[in-house]
Amino acid sequence: MEVFKEGYSSFYDVLYREKDYAGECDFLEAVFKRYSKRPVASVLDLGCGTGGHTSLLAGRGYRVAGVDLSEAMLDAARRKAAEGGLDIDYRLGDIREVRLGERFDAVVAMFAVMGYQTGNDDVSAAIRTAREHLEPGGLFIFDVWFGPAVVAEGPLDKTLTLDDADGAITRTTKPVLNLMEQTVDVNFHVRRTRGGSVVEETRERHVMRFFFPEEIELLLEAGGFQTISICPFGEPDGETSPSTWNISVIARAGAR
Ligand SMILES: C[S@@+](CC[C@H](N)C(=O)[O-])C[C@H]1O[C@@H](n2cnc3c(N)ncnc32)[C@H](O)[C@@H]1O
């Protein structure tokens, strides 16, 4: 998976500086309280990236581990943990096969991580990883793009411009919908400009899968999970509809 290389990763925390990681951790904690059959004291973050959730959860007192395939994203996560004096077990690894040799009370994969697992084998392998790191009754929480909305609305070109210390960062996103593969090729082009001149730029193509509710339930069931809820992203009491682009999925590990 040739994504989140050094160039794109170096822009990541700026591009998502408005993302409400604290609110998303509030959502996770509300889900732990409502649905977990066991007290949640430890969390494994699959595809932890630069540690947006892991660092906040560790700061809130959870024992936390994070796995990611991108060395550059993990470097940023480790820097953040060191700055905050946080003890987080970060590991370089592929969520389709990594085994930490320990169990957690909850496993999360936040911000479309499961969408990067494009084939059924990839998705099933990542679900197996989640199951292997949970005791029966533990929760697996992730979010993905919702197929009905992607098909009904289609992905749109977007441009995001942000002020930087002494210039600007512009990201253009050009998506290509592959209906038969259930994926979108998301073509990112990020440029840093100073005084109108481009001083740094990077391009990446992210192939993202979108999911339909019935297949989510089937894939989870085959991997030893019961689907508890499919709701709009971060809204446990909300109703999904064909205009819900991002969904949160909450699943509970069954007996072995
Ligand atoms: C959109 S980022 C989300 C990062 C973080 N969870 C957040 O919310 O900011 C997706 C992350 O998933 C990681 N990822 C995707 N597929 C992976 C895999 N098979 N194994 C490990 N990491 C993976 C990428 O490297 C990237 O850091």
Side-chain angles (χ1 to χ4, degrees):
M1 208 176 296
E2 277 299 293
V3 288
F4 297 96
K5 290 181 280 186
E6 211 171 315
Y8 187 78
S9 299
S10 69
F11 287 109
Y12 188 85
D13 280 344
V14 184
L15 292 172
Y16 295 107
R17 68 186 177 199
E18 302 295 333
K19 190 168 165 59
D20 184 10
Y21 283 100
E24 292 177 19
C25 289
D26 293 345
F27 162 73
L28 290 175
E29 291 196 286
V31 169
F32 298 161
K33 277 207 186 84
R34 189 189 293 196
Y35 293 115
S36 184
K37 296 250 190 233
R38 44 191 301 121
V40 177
S42 59
V43 181
L44 171 61
D45 187 353
L46 297 178
C48 59
T50 60
H53 301 96
T54 34
S55 51
L56 288 173
L57 290 171
R60 294 183 189 190
Y62 294 88
R63 177 173 72 83
V64 183
V67 175
D68 205 282
L69 205 51
S70 162
E71 191 82 72
M73 296 290 271
L74 278 179
D75 281 348
R78 289 195 177 105
R79 270 197 304 278
K80 231 176 264 175
E83 280 160 21
L86 298 166
D87 181 20
I88 301 173
D89 180 10
Y90 283 124
R91 312 264 189 112
L92 182 67
D94 189 323
I95 65 165
R96 292 168 295 182
E97 56 188 33
V98 72
R99 294 292 179 267
L100 271 59
E102 56 185 313
R103 298 236 159 84
F104 296 80
D105 299 317
V107 174
V108 304
M110 298 293 286
F111 201 9
V113 172
M114 292 298 284
Y116 285 87
Q117 321 315 312
T118 50
N120 280 346
D121 287 353
D122 304 310
V123 179
S124 300
I127 290 173
R128 255 195 316 279
T129 297
R131 183 66 192 84
E132 284 297 312
H133 292 87
L134 286 168
E135 298 290 354
L139 295 182
F140 178 33
I141 304 159
F142 61 94
D143 55 86
V144 285
W145 286 355
F146 193 44
V150 177
V151 173
E153 296 178 1
L156 298 174
D157 289 7
K158 282 186 199 150
T159 300
L160 170 73
T161 302
L162 298 162
D163 291 333
D164 190 24
D166 40 7
I169 292 175
T170 303
R171 182 185 67 185
T172 54
T173 309
K174 289 192 183 296
V176 177
L177 177 61
N178 308 304
L179 273 178
M180 294 308 289
E181 281 90 40
Q182 269 184 236
T183 58
V184 178
D185 295 347
V186 186
N187 297 291
F188 291 120
H189 181 197
V190 189
R191 279 155 295 157
R192 188 192 300 277
T193 49
R194 297 233 163 90
S197 309
V198 177
V199 292
E200 194 184 343
E201 66 183 319
T202 188
R203 290 175 197 270
E204 281 199 3
R205 183 170 72 104
H206 293 204
V207 183
M208 310 284 305
R209 175 171 174 166
F210 45 89
F211 291 81
F212 293 85
E214 299 291 336
E215 65 175 345
I216 292 173
E217 290 190 19
L218 265 185
L219 286 160
L220 282 169
E221 194 182 334
F225 285 94
Q226 179 202 356
T227 302
I228 298 175
S229 172
I230 295 179
C231 59
F233 178 67
E235 294 174 41
D237 295 313
E239 286 279 316
T240 51
S241 76
S243 61
T244 309
W245 193 278
N246 294 298
I247 52 167
S248 291
V249 179
I250 304 163
R252 187 182 289 128
R256 278 173 197 285

Coordinates of all heavy atoms in Angstrom, one line a residue, residues 1 4 12 21 47-49 53 68-70 73 93-96 110-111 113 116-117, ligand 1:
M1 N 0.9 -1.2 0.0 CA 0.0 0.0 0.0 C 0.9 1.2 0.0 O 1.5 1.6 1.0 CB -0.9 0.0 1.2 CG -2.2 0.7 1.1 SD -3.2 0.6 2.5 CE -3.6 -1.2 2.6
F4 N 0.5 7.4 2.3 CA 1.0 8.0 3.5 C 2.5 7.9 3.6 O 3.1 7.5 4.6 CB 0.3 7.4 4.8 CG -1.2 7.6 4.8 CD1 -2.1 6.7 4.4 CD2 -1.6 8.8 5.3 CE1 -3.4 7.0 4.4 CE2 -3.0 9.1 5.3 CZ -3.9 8.2 4.9
Y12 N -0.1 16.0 6.9 CA -1.4 15.4 7.5 C -2.0 16.2 8.6 O -3.1 16.5 8.6 CB -1.1 13.9 7.9 CG -2.3 13.2 8.3 CD1 -3.1 12.5 7.4 CD2 -2.7 13.1 9.7 CE1 -4.3 11.8 7.7 CE2 -3.9 12.4 10.0 CZ -4.6 11.8 9.1 OH -5.8 11.1 9.4
Y21 N -10.9 15.6 16.9 CA -10.4 14.3 17.6 C -11.0 14.2 19.0 O -11.3 13.1 19.4 CB -8.9 14.2 17.6 CG -8.3 13.9 16.2 CD1 -7.8 14.8 15.4 CD2 -8.3 12.6 15.8 CE1 -7.2 14.5 14.2 CE2 -7.8 12.2 14.6 CZ -7.2 13.2 13.8 OH -6.7 12.8 12.5
G47 N -4.4 1.4 12.5 CA -4.3 2.5 11.5 C -4.3 3.8 12.3 O -5.0 4.7 12.0
C48 N -3.4 3.9 13.3 CA -3.5 5.0 14.3 C -3.0 6.3 13.7 O -3.2 7.4 14.2 CB -2.7 4.7 15.5 SG -0.9 4.3 15.1
G49 N -2.3 6.2 12.5 CA -1.8 7.4 11.9 C -0.9 8.2 12.8 O 0.0 7.7 13.4
H53 N -6.2 10.1 17.9 CA -7.0 9.4 18.9 C -6.2 8.8 20.0 O -6.5 9.0 21.2 CB -8.0 8.4 18.3 CG -8.8 8.9 17.2 ND1 -8.5 8.8 15.9 CD2 -10.0 9.6 17.3 CE1 -9.5 9.4 15.2 NE2 -10.4 9.9 16.0
D68 N 0.4 1.0 12.7 CA 0.3 1.7 11.4 C 1.3 1.2 10.4 O 2.4 0.8 10.9 CB 0.3 3.2 11.5 CG -0.4 3.9 10.4 OD1 0.1 4.0 9.2 OD2 -1.6 4.4 10.6
L69 N 1.0 1.2 9.1 CA 1.9 0.8 8.1 C 2.9 1.9 7.7 O 3.8 1.6 7.0 CB 1.0 0.4 6.9 CG 1.4 -0.6 5.8 CD1 1.9 -1.9 6.4 CD2 0.2 -0.8 4.9
S70 N 2.6 3.1 8.0 CA 3.4 4.2 7.6 C 4.4 4.6 8.6 O 4.0 5.2 9.7 CB 2.5 5.4 7.2 OG 3.2 6.6 7.1
M73 N 3.9 8.4 9.4 CA 2.8 8.7 10.3 C 3.2 8.4 11.7 O 2.9 9.1 12.6 CB 1.5 8.0 9.8 CG 1.0 8.4 8.4 SD 0.3 10.0 8.4 CE -1.4 9.7 8.8
G93 N 3.3 -1.9 11.5 CA 2.7 -3.2 11.1 C 1.5 -3.0 10.2 O 1.0 -1.9 10.1
D94 N 1.1 -4.1 9.6 CA 0.0 -4.2 8.7 C -1.2 -4.7 9.5 O -1.1 -5.9 10.0 CB 0.3 -5.1 7.5 CG -0.7 -5.0 6.4 OD1 -1.9 -4.9 6.7 OD2 -0.3 -5.1 5.3
I95 N -2.3 -4.0 9.5 CA -3.4 -4.4 10.4 C -4.1 -5.7 9.8 O -4.9 -6.3 10.5 CB -4.5 -3.3 10.5 CG1 -5.2 -3.0 9.2 CG2 -3.9 -2.1 11.1 CD1 -6.5 -2.2 9.4
R96 N -3.7 -6.1 8.6 CA -4.2 -7.4 8.1 C -3.5 -8.6 8.7 O -3.9 -9.7 8.5 CB -4.1 -7.4 6.5 CG -5.0 -6.4 5.9 CD -4.7 -6.2 4.4 NE -3.4 -5.6 4.3 CZ -2.8 -5.3 3.1 NH1 -3.5 -5.6 2.0 NH2 -1.6 -4.8 3.0
M110 N -10.1 4.2 13.2 CA -10.8 5.5 13.0 C -10.3 6.2 11.7 O -9.2 6.2 11.4 CB -10.6 6.4 14.2 CG -11.2 5.9 15.5 SD -13.0 5.7 15.5 CE -13.4 7.5 15.7
F111 N -11.3 6.9 11.1 CA -11.0 7.7 9.9 C -10.7 6.9 8.7 O -9.6 7.0 8.1 CB -9.9 8.8 10.2 CG -10.0 10.0 9.2 CD1 -11.0 10.2 8.4 CD2 -8.9 10.9 9.2 CE1 -11.1 11.3 7.5 CE2 -8.9 12.0 8.4 CZ -10.0 12.2 7.5
V113 N -10.0 3.9 8.0 CA -8.9 2.9 7.9 C -9.3 1.7 7.2 O -8.7 1.1 6.3 CB -8.3 2.6 9.3 CG1 -7.3 1.5 9.2 CG2 -7.7 3.8 9.9
Y116 N -9.3 1.5 3.4 CA -8.1 1.2 2.7 C -7.9 -0.3 2.4 O -7.0 -0.7 1.7 CB -6.9 1.8 3.5 CG -6.8 3.3 3.4 CD1 -7.5 4.1 4.2 CD2 -6.0 3.9 2.4 CE1 -7.4 5.5 4.1 CE2 -6.0 5.2 2.2 CZ -6.6 6.1 3.1 OH -6.6 7.4 3.0
Q117 N -8.7 -1.1 3.1 CA -8.7 -2.6 2.9 C -9.7 -2.9 1.8 O -10.9 -3.0 2.0 CB -9.0 -3.3 4.2 CG -8.4 -2.7 5.5 CD -7.0 -2.3 5.4 OE1 -6.2 -3.0 4.9 NE2 -6.7 -1.0 5.8
Ligands
LIG1 C1 -6.9 8.5 7.0 S1 -5.5 7.9 8.0 C2 -6.3 7.8 9.6 C3 -5.3 7.9 10.7 C4 -5.8 8.0 12.1 N1 -6.6 6.9 12.5 C5 -6.6 9.3 12.3 O1 -7.8 9.2 12.6 O2 -6.1 10.4 12.1 C6 -5.5 6.1 7.6 C7 -4.3 5.4 8.2 O3 -4.5 4.0 8.1 C8 -3.2 3.4 7.8 N2 -3.4 2.1 7.2 C9 -4.2 1.9 6.1 N3 -4.2 0.6 5.8 C10 -3.4 0.0 6.7 C11 -2.9 -1.3 7.0 N4 -3.3 -2.4 6.2 N5 -2.1 -1.6 8.0 C12 -1.7 -0.5 8.9 N6 -2.1 0.7 8.7 C13 -2.9 1.0 7.6 C14 -2.5 4.5 7.0 O4 -1.1 4.3 7.0 C15 -3.0 5.8 7.6 O5 -2.1 6.2 8.7

